[in-house]
Amino acid sequence: MKRSRILMAAMCGALAIACASTSIAMVHSTSVLAAGMFVDHKARAQTQTQASAQPWWAGFEDIAMNRLMAASQGATESGVAAAYIALKVKTLELLYLENTHAAVVRQSALIQGSTLPHDDFAKQLAARQASAETTIGKLKAQRANYITYLAAQCHMSEASMNEMLADALHDKALPRFAAEVPRELPMSVLANRNDINLAAALYGADPAAMPAGVIDATDEAQDIEVPGEPPYAHAVVQAREQVAGALHRLRMQSDIANTAYARVMNARAGFEASKQHRDRGDISEVQLMEDFQGLLLDLHVLAAANGELALAWVVLMGSIGNGASIDAVAGARSAQAEQLPFLHKVSRKLRNP
């Protein structure tokens, strides 16, 4: 019994740290930089002095990301940001899965030699343990791939990269963009894009003279009147559709993260109740470990959802012309990107394959 309580204390301690730092990825305080990204041209001028020296990724307010960008010297900014976010997510997923593996091992030890009402439970635990071990190996390999990628982009050894990111990976909080998810953006944000400025130079247009109106997540098909030559107008319409698509993705990922967070809060409350039932002898420790694994699974899903939300911010910032092309971030069409799948959707069947 004493050993059991020590094991539970250790696992719950790790869980408490992870759960506290894997909170919802939306924040309600907006930085000066982030605020300046989403206002019209005239209002943006009021914050330009403060924000001009800040690159787009400063909106994440993440020290490690800033160091990575400085070390990479501006090369593939969107790729570096996405790989760092994915590395943080994989680190959290690994933590949760290792805790899951420990819980399954504990269950197997508790039922050893017992007569069970269902003969296949021991087999299920064995399959669950084997699946967890396989996935742990895959997660470690994926983390190593991200380290290799970041080390190459930053022109340093993998050992140096591991040292640079040691504190960041020990901190279980994921990068969060310091702005609320916007409902809409002014058309004037398109004037930040390199393709719009190039088209304006080619066809004698003024990119600052964008049509009045806003871009929201549902209006990409609406007709707009753009002054200037047809090729320039086409470039503006196409850019508007890309921003609308990125905004739609961001809002969708925000909703997914909110839902995942609510599930975690409910699962955590349920697990706390299960601990009280176990202490009173109402349920066994085997059942408590089962409930613990359910909470870990919900935390796993939340980590992936928050990672997708952070990546959606990278896509949006690229789409409004802050140093990265939306295609470079969202398309992931390069050979290197194909070798480094960023994030994945977590199946709720992971715990019971």
Side-chain angles (χ1 to χ4, degrees):
M1 179 62 72
K2 182 177 181 182
R3 180 183 177 186
S4 169
R5 292 186 182 278
I6 291 174
L7 176 65
M8 280 301 302
M11 285 196 285
C12 293
L15 175 65
I17 294 171
C19 190
S21 58
T22 316
S23 58
I24 192 65
M26 287 181 61
V27 290
H28 299 292
S29 59
T30 303
S31 67
V32 171
L33 168 70
M37 299 296 182
F38 307 133
V39 297
D40 62 33
H41 182 73
K42 293 181 180 179
R44 189 184 304 113
Q46 299 175 4
T47 60
Q48 191 66 31
T49 301
Q50 296 166 296
S52 59
Q54 298 289 337
W56 64 267
W57 62 83
F60 281 103
E61 299 181 343
D62 187 288
I63 294 174
M65 187 181 292
N66 293 341
R67 289 174 179 169
L68 287 170
M69 293 301 185
S72 67
Q73 299 177 345
T76 59
E77 293 168 351
S78 60
V80 169
Y84 171 64
I85 291 167
L87 177 61
K88 291 277 285 182
V89 171
K90 296 304 176 187
T91 300
L92 271 179
E93 291 178 345
L94 183 60
L95 170 66
Y96 299 144
L97 200 53
E98 287 174 339
N99 275 272
T100 298
H101 181 267
V104 172
V105 170
R106 178 59 183 165
Q107 284 179 306
S108 298
L110 288 169
I111 68 171
Q112 189 172 12
S114 302
T115 302
L116 301 175
H118 302 288
D119 295 336
D120 63 345
F121 186 58
K123 295 180 180 179
Q124 290 178 15
L125 289 179
R128 201 180 294 178
Q129 181 175 339
S131 177
E133 290 169 355
T134 299
T135 307
I136 285 171
K138 291 179 180 179
L139 287 173
K140 288 181 177 179
Q142 288 171 347
R143 289 180 77 258
N145 285 340
Y146 291 126
I147 291 292
T148 299
Y149 172 81
L150 291 171
Q153 297 303 312
C154 296
H155 314 289
M156 63 175 63
S157 68
E158 292 179 24
S160 297
M161 179 58 63
N162 276 308
E163 183 177 354
M164 175 191 288
L165 296 179
D167 290 341
L169 296 180
H170 180 72
D171 176 11
K172 303 305 185 293
L174 291 174
R176 299 182 299 179
F177 199 81
E180 293 190 30
V181 175
R183 293 183 177 276
E184 58 189 27
L185 299 174
M187 282 288 295
S188 58
V189 300
L190 300 180
N192 295 324
R193 291 173 57 114
N194 290 337
D195 57 346
I196 295 302
N197 282 279
L198 176 60
L202 288 174
Y203 299 105
D206 179 8
M210 283 289 167
V214 298
I215 306 169
D216 63 42
T218 60
D219 70 352
E220 61 268 27
Q222 291 184 6
D223 293 331
I224 54 174
E225 294 185 5
V226 181
E229 297 293 324
Y232 174 72
H234 175 74
V236 171
V237 171
Q238 186 176 50
R240 185 171 185 258
E241 290 177 355
Q242 289 180 341
V243 173
L247 186 57
H248 173 74
R249 175 183 178 179
L250 177 64
R251 293 184 63 80
M252 179 181 68
Q253 293 299 337
S254 177
D255 290 341
I256 291 172
N258 275 310
T259 300
Y261 179 70
R263 291 190 69 127
V264 165
M265 291 299 99
N266 289 334
R268 190 175 188 184
F271 178 62
E272 292 299 324
S274 293
K275 286 197 294 183
Q276 295 177 7
H277 288 307
R278 187 281 311 269
D279 292 342
R280 292 197 301 263
D282 297 335
I283 64 173
S284 66
E285 188 178 345
V286 172
Q287 181 58 52
L288 181 63
M289 290 293 95
E290 196 75 6
D291 295 341
F292 182 60
Q293 291 171 67
L295 174 55
L296 287 167
L297 176 59
D298 284 325
L299 283 166
H300 193 123
V301 173
L302 176 60
N306 279 345
E308 293 285 356
L309 178 58
L311 186 58
W313 273 111
V314 175
V315 172
L316 179 68
M317 298 310 291
S319 76
I320 61 177
N322 291 281
S325 163
I326 184 172
D327 290 332
V329 184
R333 297 186 181 93
S334 70
Q336 194 167 36
E338 291 176 0
Q339 296 171 7
L340 294 173
F342 285 159
L343 301 175
H344 66 276
K345 300 300 182 183
V346 180
S347 170
R348 292 196 58 81
K349 296 181 180 179
L350 176 65
R351 183 167 56 92
N352 189 17

